[in-house]
Amino acid sequence: MNANMKDTTERAGHCLCGDVRITANSASNSVGACHCKTCRRWGGGPFMEIDCGASVEIDGKENISVFDSSDWAERGFCRNCGTHLFYRLKESGQHMIPVGVFEDSESLVFESQVFIDEKPDYYEFTNKTKDLTGAEIFALFGSS
Ligand SMILES: [Zn+2]
Ligand SMILES: [Zn+2]
């Protein structure tokens, strides 16, 4: 999802109530935003996330509900406090984790926006980012 996959940091975070703790061993330093309708319905606004790959340790898994949001991905949240914990690709196990879940924001750079064509007109980020439409995303990562 981003050009700086090697530029990673170990990051730790937790949900609001503390029932779920997450350690991402190689989290990207590149923050992305997704403006798609599904993400905005899920979180009430654009999904600000970092790519944490498949190497994610979760303490308190039994407190997570996982919602099957599409043929290719699922979304996890704390069943006690409702904090959104991950968007996970079923096949690769890749986790996109909401950046706000993590303790600190050191080294993070907001670099990309996807489904820019689904962004409503009532908000706009001023950061200089690489922006992709939904069609461009599907072309990059396969249409299924
Ligand atoms: Zn919680
Ligand atoms: Zn989305």
Side-chain angles (χ1 to χ4, degrees):
M1 196 66 79
N2 60 73
N4 298 328
M5 279 304 290
K6 286 182 190 126
D7 190 14
T8 61
T9 303
E10 180 178 302
R11 293 188 189 277
H14 59 85
C15 66
L16 273 181
C17 75
D19 279 357
V20 182
R21 301 198 164 264
I22 293 181
T23 304
N25 296 311
S26 49
S28 171
N29 294 320
S30 176
V31 179
C34 182
H35 301 284
C36 84
K37 180 85 185 162
T38 307
C39 284
R40 286 187 293 109
R41 174 156 283 143
W42 190 42
F47 180 38
M48 305 288 293
E49 47 77 16
I50 52 180
D51 183 351
C52 293
S55 182
V56 173
E57 289 162 34
I58 299 177
D59 189 20
K61 273 195 182 108
E62 68 278 10
N63 302 311
I64 296 178
S65 282
V66 176
F67 178 70
D68 194 9
S69 59
S70 66
D71 287 344
W72 60 88
E74 53 198 7
R75 295 168 191 255
F77 59 95
C78 173
R79 60 171 66 148
N80 183 44
C81 69
T83 299
H84 295 166
L85 299 165
F86 56 78
Y87 167 92
R88 181 167 60 202
L89 294 172
K90 292 176 188 174
E91 206 173 299
S92 62
Q94 184 184 357
H95 289 68
M96 316 299 285
I97 297 184
V99 64
V101 162
F102 294 107
E103 297 295 350
D104 66 67
S105 52
E106 215 166 295
S107 316
L108 291 172
V109 185
F110 180 29
E111 288 187 316
S112 64
Q113 300 184 59
V114 299
F115 286 92
I116 196 74
D117 51 322
E118 290 190 31
K119 184 186 75 58
D121 291 334
Y122 59 79
Y123 68 81
E124 190 145 19
F125 294 121
T126 56
N127 303 65
K128 295 252 180 301
T129 55
K130 180 173 164 50
D131 300 343
L132 295 170
T133 64
E136 286 167 336
I137 285 289
F138 286 123
L140 272 178
F141 296 101
S143 56
S144 58

